[in-house]
Amino acid sequence: MKQRVREIIEAALVRAHEAGALPSREFPPILVEEPRVEAHGDFSTNVAMVMAKIQKMAPRKIAEGIIDHLADPGGVLLRTEIAGPGFINFFIAPAAWPPVLEEVHEAGDRYGASAMGGGRKVQVEFVSANPTGPLHVGHGRGAAVGDTVANILAFCGFDVRKEYYINDSGRQIRTLGRSVFLRYTELLGRTVSFPEDCYQGDYIRELAGAIHEDRGDELEKETEEAAVAYCARRAAREILSGIEADLEVFGIRFDRWFSEQSLFDEGRVDGAIADLKDRDILYEKDGALWFRTTDHGDEKDRVVVRGNGQTTYFASDIAYHRDKFGRGFHRVIDVWGADHHGYVARMSAAVEAMGIERERFGVILVHLVNLLRAGRPVAMSTRAGEFVTLREVVDEVGRDAARFIFLTRHYESPLDFDLELAKQKTNDNPVYYVQYVHARISSIFAKGEEEGTIAGDDLTSPNPDLLTEPEEIALIKALSRYPEAVENSAALLEPHRVAYFLMSLATLFHAYYNKHRVLTETADLTRARLYLVLAVRKVIRNGLSLLGVSAPDKM
RNA sequence: GCGCCUGUAGCUCAGAUGGAUAGAGCAACGGACUUCUAAUCCGUAGGUCAGGGGUUCGAAUCCCUUCAGGCGUACCA
C-alpha cells in the first residue's frame, strides 16, 4: 500500500510539472511514512518541504500543486490534506485494505520475501568459538543473531552460507592439550601442580578420563610434546562435536565448518603472506613482518609474522578472509563478540588492502550477556571453569524462549538474561505472547472443523469486503507492513525488527480476539474472518521461522 | 591518555535513512472469563529522551562538549 501511495505521488509530480505547477523537474527520492498520530492519515509525505529549495516555492504551495494533479485510478484514497509546514497526508479508503489479504494468501510462506539480494552470494560467519570449552550464553546470543541475520538475508533473495571458523591452531589449543595432559597424568597417580593459565573446568577431567580409558598409560611412553599434541587434537575434536550438538539443539546448522589449521596445512597462510609481500602491502621492520593497515584507516600497522617466526592470529584471519572472497562471496559478514571491536579496523583495512571494496565486508558486534537468576548475577568465567553453558540454559528455559530473548534486543545493547524471567510465561517474556497467537488461531480452526463449519484451511470464496471492523482493518494494515519490516531488517542486519513486528502484530490480534468472535452465526462473515486470521497465522509462522522459533498449534 | 559501544517512564527495552502531540511490556492501581485457549484483553497513572551548546522550517535521531557505565587499546588469542 505504501508503494502504491508512492507511485501516486510520483505520477502527480510528473503531471504537475508538465502542467506548469512545478518549475523544476528535479525530484528528490520520495519518503512516505506512517504518521504516529491517526489524525495525520495512514500515510504522509514530506516531499513538498524537501523540494522547497529546488522548486523555489513555499512548501504548502508545492503541496497544493501536487494534490491538484493526483490521480487515483484504483480508488484507494479516501482523501488527502495539506498539514503543518507542508506535509501531505493520505487517508486510505477502508475498502482498499481487505484486498491486501489476497497478497498474503497467494504468497503464503513466501509472503514478505523479496528479491533485494538478487541472488548475490553472502557468507555469514558466526559463533566461531575456540574449541577449548563448551559454549556459554554469550555465544548463544551471537549464534541466534548470526543465524537469524542469515535466515533473513536468504529470505530477501541472497544466496547465503553459514560458516563456523574453528580456531584449531595456536596457543589456546596447545594450552588445552596441556590442560588435558596434566589431568591425564593425575589419573596415572602423579601429583601435578595445575597452572592457573590452564583450563580449570570439570570437562577437562572428563576428557582426560576418556583418554585414560582408551589409552591407559600409553601416552607416558611418548614424548611430552607428542602426548600434549595428541591430547589437544583429541580434546578439540570432542569439544567441537559437543559444540555442534549444542548448536543443533539450539536450532542452528552450519553449511561449513572451516578449520584454521587447514589454512596452514594447505599453505594458504604462506601464500597470502607471499602475495601481500609482493604487492608491498607487507614490510619488514624490527625483525617482524608488518601489514600497512594504516593506509586504510587503522591507527597503527599490525604484525603478521613475529620476530620469532611465528605468525599472528591476524595472519590466519587475513588468509581466511582472502579465501572467503576468493570463494566468490559478494559480501562477507562476521559476527563477533563486542570485546573484539578493537579488531574491526585492522580486519577491514586488511580486506580493503586486498582490493576488496569496504562495503563488502561487515562486522556485527554482539554485546555481552549478563546472566542473572532472579535479578542476581551468575558468575561467569571460562578460565576458572565456572560458567553456565548454553546447553544448560537451553535445557532450562527452552530453545524458543532463549532465542527470542536474544533477538528482542538490538545486538549493540548489553543484555541481561534472567533465567527465572525467561521461564515465566508472562509478557516480560514475549515469545509466548507471539506463539499464543498461532495457537489461538489454530484452535479456532480446530473448533471450526469440529463444528463442521469448515474443512481444514480450505476457505471457499471468502469475501474480505465484509471485514469492516476497525480491529480488522488494523490487522490488515499491520500485515501489509510485514514485507517492509523484513526488508529493513535485512538492509540493516537487525533481526530484532522482525521480533518487534511480530509482537505488535500479536498485540493487534489479541485485542481483536477479545472483542470479536471469528466463528459467527453468519457463514459469509465467518469465512471472511477465517480468511483474515489465517493470513495472520501465516505471517506469524513465517516470521517466527525466520527467528528460528517454533509456531505451536497448542499451548 | 586515545578509540568504540551504551545512556529514553520505577524496571526491561523499541523508536533505520532528521518530521507533526515520545512508544510497548513489566511493576502499581481499577475493571473483563457460562464464550473460538485469561500464556489474553480494556482503562488509569507514569518522561528535563544523561547534562549543556550548535546545525534548520523541524532533533531522541546529525555535529561539538561534559558526565556516567561497559569494552578495547600487544611481535596475545
Side-chain angles (χ1 to χ4, degrees):
Chain A
M1 191 62 80
K2 183 187 272 190
Q3 188 54 34
R4 227 161 289 170
V5 171
R6 187 175 291 123
E7 285 159 13
I8 288 172
I9 297 166
E10 274 165 9
L13 287 176
V14 172
R15 254 198 306 277
H17 171 68
E18 282 165 0
L22 296 175
S24 167
R25 64 162 308 136
E26 190 185 330
F27 305 130
I30 296 167
L31 178 73
V32 178
E33 55 180 6
E34 288 143 56
R36 270 198 300 260
V37 187
E38 217 170 304
H40 295 154
D42 293 302
F43 298 100
S44 79
T45 182
N46 62 356
V47 270
M49 289 180 289
V50 176
M51 284 201 303
K53 276 207 180 90
I54 304 170
Q55 301 289 353
K56 299 194 175 65
M57 287 169 68
R60 292 189 69 107
K61 196 78 186 163
I62 297 172
E64 273 173 40
I66 296 171
I67 286 187
D68 285 346
H69 294 87
L70 281 179
D72 176 27
V76 298
L77 298 182
L78 184 66
R79 64 188 178 89
T80 55
E81 66 180 16
I82 301 172
F87 289 102
I88 303 174
N89 296 335
F90 297 84
F91 294 79
I92 302 298
W97 289 108
V100 170
L101 290 177
E102 287 165 33
E103 292 170 26
V104 181
H105 284 283
E106 271 169 31
D109 290 347
R110 302 288 302 159
Y111 180 67
S114 80
M116 82 186 255
R120 277 172 302 200
K121 284 184 72 175
V122 176
Q123 186 211 47
V124 183
E125 180 220 318
F126 56 105
V127 189
S128 300
N130 293 338
T132 54
L135 298 178
H136 54 67
V137 257
H139 296 126
R141 186 179 189 186
V145 169
D147 191 50
T148 305
V149 163
N151 291 344
I152 291 170
L153 289 174
F155 198 56
C156 288
F158 291 92
D159 181 11
V160 182
R161 296 300 141 84
K162 302 175 185 175
E163 188 156 310
Y164 186 117
Y165 179 61
I166 310 161
N167 291 115
D168 52 1
S169 148
R171 207 185 68 186
Q172 292 196 53
I173 288 294
R174 282 195 296 280
T175 303
L176 173 69
R178 202 153 58 95
S179 308
V180 172
F181 180 70
L182 287 173
R183 292 300 187 204
Y184 166 83
T185 51
E186 270 182 358
L187 291 172
L188 296 178
R190 314 231 186 291
T191 41
V192 295
S193 62
F194 199 78
E196 215 174 279
D197 65 346
C198 279
Y199 297 101
Q200 311 286 327
D202 286 340
Y203 64 94
I204 297 292
R205 289 176 205 272
E206 287 167 26
L207 290 163
I211 289 172
H212 179 65
E213 212 163 283
D214 276 11
R215 305 283 305 264
D217 60 357
E218 283 175 42
L219 293 191
E220 257 201 327
K221 295 166 193 149
E222 300 181 22
T223 62
E224 182 168 323
E225 200 190 329
V228 166
Y230 171 81
C231 288
R233 254 197 327 276
R234 177 161 170 171
R237 195 173 60 230
E238 286 186 22
I239 290 171
L240 202 60
S241 73
I243 287 174
E244 190 172 357
D246 291 352
L247 287 169
E248 183 86 32
V249 169
F250 199 44
I252 291 166
R253 195 170 287 176
F254 286 92
D255 294 304
R256 182 161 176 186
W257 295 72
F258 193 103
S259 153
E260 178 186 7
Q261 187 60 46
S262 76
L263 290 168
F264 289 100
D265 297 345
E266 293 167 15
R268 291 179 189 275
V269 177
D270 290 342
I273 289 171
D275 178 40
L276 294 170
K277 224 177 187 171
D278 284 348
R279 293 158 61 186
D280 196 34
I281 292 168
L282 301 184
Y283 65 94
E284 283 182 51
K285 193 184 87 180
D286 304 332
L289 200 57
W290 300 71
F291 198 117
R292 295 186 198 279
T293 50
T294 42
D295 288 354
H296 300 277
D298 197 7
E299 53 190 28
K300 55 175 288 195
D301 286 345
R302 307 292 176 172
V303 170
V304 173
V305 182
R306 293 191 267 161
N308 63 8
Q310 286 183 334
T311 57
T312 58
Y313 186 85
F314 186 41
S316 309
D317 268 345
I318 290 165
Y320 180 39
H321 285 78
R322 189 164 173 265
D323 182 83
K324 290 186 185 196
F325 285 103
R327 278 186 265 157
F329 287 111
H330 179 261
R331 200 162 163 211
V332 166
I333 296 164
D334 290 5
V335 180
W336 297 349
D339 53 341
H340 290 81
H341 69 79
Y343 211 74
V344 175
R346 88 182 64 166
M347 199 63 243
S348 305
V351 167
E352 195 175 72
M354 289 190 278
I356 291 143
E357 297 89 332
R358 191 162 279 247
E359 317 80 67
R360 293 175 57 195
F361 175 66
V363 180
I364 292 176
L365 292 172
V366 179
H367 280 235
L368 88 162
V369 178
N370 294 311
L371 194 65
L372 309 173
R373 186 178 288 284
R376 295 173 173 282
V378 176
M380 294 288 281
S381 157
T382 308
R383 183 117 310 156
E386 290 170 16
F387 57 87
V388 180
T389 63
L390 173 63
R391 183 57 174 268
E392 286 164 344
V393 170
V394 172
D395 286 347
E396 183 172 342
V397 312
R399 163 183 151 183
D400 289 340
R403 283 190 74 128
F404 208 84
I405 287 167
F406 288 135
L407 295 170
T408 43
R409 270 130 190 104
H410 188 105
Y411 48 72
E412 273 182 2
S413 167
L415 165 61
D416 288 335
F417 191 113
D418 193 306
L419 290 161
E420 295 306 321
L421 218 60
K423 282 190 291 186
Q424 278 175 30
K425 291 167 178 175
T426 68
N427 224 344
D428 239 354
N429 191 17
V431 64
Y432 300 111
Y433 185 77
V434 175
Q435 288 181 315
Y436 195 39
V437 172
H438 194 271
R440 273 184 149 175
I441 295 171
S442 295
S443 178
I444 292 170
F445 276 86
K447 180 78 176 181
E449 281 182 59
E450 195 184 306
E451 289 176 352
T453 46
I454 46 168
D457 293 354
D458 181 34
L459 301 171
T460 47
S461 57
N463 180 5
D465 295 339
L466 298 174
L467 302 169
T468 54
E469 297 289 346
E471 292 82 6
E472 292 170 335
I473 300 298
L475 269 174
I476 298 168
K477 283 184 190 177
L479 294 174
S480 78
R481 273 184 232 119
Y482 182 61
E484 194 181 6
V486 172
E487 276 199 18
N488 284 341
S489 190
L492 298 164
L493 306 177
E494 293 179 349
H496 74 279
R497 289 172 186 278
V498 172
Y500 274 89
F501 172 87
L502 292 175
M503 289 192 277
S504 65
L505 179 60
T507 299
L508 293 172
F509 174 79
H510 287 310
Y512 175 57
Y513 183 92
N514 271 276
K515 192 161 174 189
H516 303 285
R517 286 188 57 84
V518 173
L519 302 173
T520 65
E521 308 293 307
T522 319
D524 284 351
L525 183 60
T526 298
R527 278 211 305 280
R529 288 186 171 175
L530 285 169
Y531 190 66
L532 168 64
V533 300
L534 186 59
V536 171
R537 191 176 69 169
K538 280 181 179 172
V539 171
I540 291 282
R541 187 188 291 169
N542 181 323
L544 286 176
S545 86
L546 290 177
L547 305 183
V549 173
S550 70
D553 288 319
K554 280 184 185 165
M555 287 173 71

